Amino acid sequence: MKFGIHLPQVGPNASRENILKMARFAEDSGFDSLWVSDHVVTPRGLESKYPYNATGEYRVPPDWDFLEPLTTLAFVAAATERVQLGTTVLVLPMRNPVVHAKIVSTIHALSGGRMILGVGAGWMREEFEALDADFENRGRVFDEYLKIVRGLWEEDNLVFRGETYEVHDLGFSPRPDPGTLPIWIGGHHRAALRRAATLGDGWHAVGVALDEIPEKWQQILDIAAENGRDTSDLTLSVRTGFRPGDADAVEAQMKRLVEMGIAHVVLDVPARSVDDSIASLNWFAEEVRPRLAQAPVSS
């Protein structure tokens, strides 16, 4: 099992110094990846309900810093050599697919092949409207944009004619080496599971109760098999937190994830300061991760 860290990209701790501190800590402490989230704006008077907690309240105030994710990863790529770099998740339907296929493939090339593209459909209507993007039809747009991004990366001369976008006769480079830049699909509704099974390289479970993951993952595997895919090529990842201090409890939590078949865990560690976050993660690296060395490994 691999372990990643969410960078201090949002809120009072979002600064150049803190991003560098966390990235270099991860690189030096054996963590496998660094991750960023995505919002371009936080509308004032937000009415859309946040889908990943019971209250529906989005707890990022509009005056907080929210560093743009791909720019942040490009910055981190230059400050690291080993860790993978991922988005958890990029809201693809509100972004131009050709431009962002180019940006991601460029970061991948300049980082030495370390990108993981996590993508989702989005939930914030007001943000789509601010970017002049189609919120109502974002599912159909998402499907087309996924096909365009993958096609630009994998085909010599992509020809794509969809309901919302058309691509043909384009020279596109750099293109990632085959199989080196996975696309993980976020979301927990049926449409997201279908995308993970048919258009993605895996499912990135964000804001999903752990008890729900096995059933949803099995749905993905069943849909993939029905579509003739080799399910062993699909990756199951999750973003979750932990409470430092009780190594037995956290070890049990992580072994439960291993038993579910989860291959990559993105750790959220909310804290008042980056130093507090690093202290918790260092405890995890020293007290918990060695205990997991004998656990079954998911690939």
Side-chain angles (χ1 to χ4, degrees):
M1 178 183 281
K2 292 183 177 182
F3 291 97
I5 299 171
H6 196 286
L7 285 163
Q9 167 216 5
V10 182
N13 294 323
S15 69
R16 177 183 188 277
E17 292 75 19
N18 285 336
I19 292 285
L20 286 174
K21 183 182 289 188
M22 185 69 84
R24 288 168 177 162
F25 164 78
E27 183 97 331
D28 295 340
S29 301
F31 284 92
D32 301 289
S33 55
L34 291 166
W35 296 79
V36 288
S37 300
D38 181 28
H39 280 294
V40 178
V41 294
T42 303
R44 302 182 189 279
L46 182 67
E47 295 183 2
S48 296
K49 298 299 182 183
Y50 184 63
Y52 301 116
N53 62 33
T55 67
E57 180 187 1
Y58 182 58
R59 298 192 178 100
V60 177
D63 58 344
W64 270 14
D65 285 343
F66 200 126
L67 302 178
E68 198 283 322
L70 296 177
T71 311
T72 302
L73 289 183
F75 172 69
V76 169
T80 56
E81 293 290 337
R82 179 187 58 80
V83 287
Q84 291 181 283
L85 309 166
T87 53
T88 175
V89 291
L90 196 76
V91 184
L92 188 60
M94 67 181 190
R95 293 170 173 264
N96 182 285
V98 178
V99 172
H100 287 82
K102 181 75 164 188
I103 294 170
V104 173
S105 68
T106 298
I107 298 172
H108 189 66
L110 295 178
S111 68
R114 292 188 279 144
M115 275 293 297
I116 299 170
L117 178 61
V119 289
W123 60 271
M124 191 187 289
R125 175 189 296 274
E126 295 89 341
E127 184 175 29
F128 273 71
E129 292 172 351
L131 299 174
D132 196 26
D134 186 348
F135 182 80
E136 293 296 337
N137 295 305
R138 68 192 186 282
R140 184 169 71 246
V141 171
F142 191 13
D143 287 346
E144 292 195 2
Y145 284 12
L146 279 171
K147 293 173 184 176
I148 290 167
V149 170
R150 187 177 292 283
L152 289 170
W153 288 351
E154 296 181 355
E155 299 182 26
D156 289 332
N157 188 12
L158 174 67
V159 176
F160 180 88
R161 292 181 174 87
E163 295 181 34
T164 65
Y165 211 98
E166 183 174 310
V167 174
H168 56 86
D169 297 323
L170 299 179
F172 184 93
S173 186
R175 287 162 51 199
D177 291 337
T180 66
L181 207 173
I183 300 175
W184 294 352
I185 310 299
H188 56 280
H189 295 301
R190 180 71 176 179
L193 304 184
R194 176 188 56 77
R195 289 186 191 99
T198 59
L199 299 174
D201 299 301
W203 181 39
H204 185 49
V206 182
V208 182
L210 295 183
D211 289 343
E212 297 178 8
I213 289 177
E215 180 182 354
K216 292 183 183 298
W217 180 236
Q218 189 59 54
Q219 291 179 42
I220 290 170
L221 296 178
D222 291 344
I223 296 169
E226 290 168 4
N227 283 270
R229 294 198 64 180
D230 182 352
T231 58
S232 66
D233 292 338
L234 295 174
T235 297
L236 174 58
S237 64
V238 67
R239 181 171 158 190
T240 189
F242 69 92
R243 292 187 177 182
D246 187 341
D248 290 340
V250 178
E251 177 190 8
Q253 176 189 356
M254 295 303 145
K255 285 187 175 179
R256 183 184 176 199
L257 301 183
V258 170
E259 291 167 359
M260 291 180 185
I262 292 169
H264 206 130
V265 179
V266 179
L267 296 171
D268 266 326
V269 189
R272 288 178 295 179
S273 72
V274 168
D275 288 340
D276 287 344
S277 294
I278 287 176
S280 296
L281 290 163
N282 190 59
W283 173 84
F284 181 92
E286 293 184 350
E287 299 295 331
V288 178
R289 198 163 187 185
R291 298 185 179 202
L292 302 173
Q294 301 304 316
V297 177
S298 299
S299 59

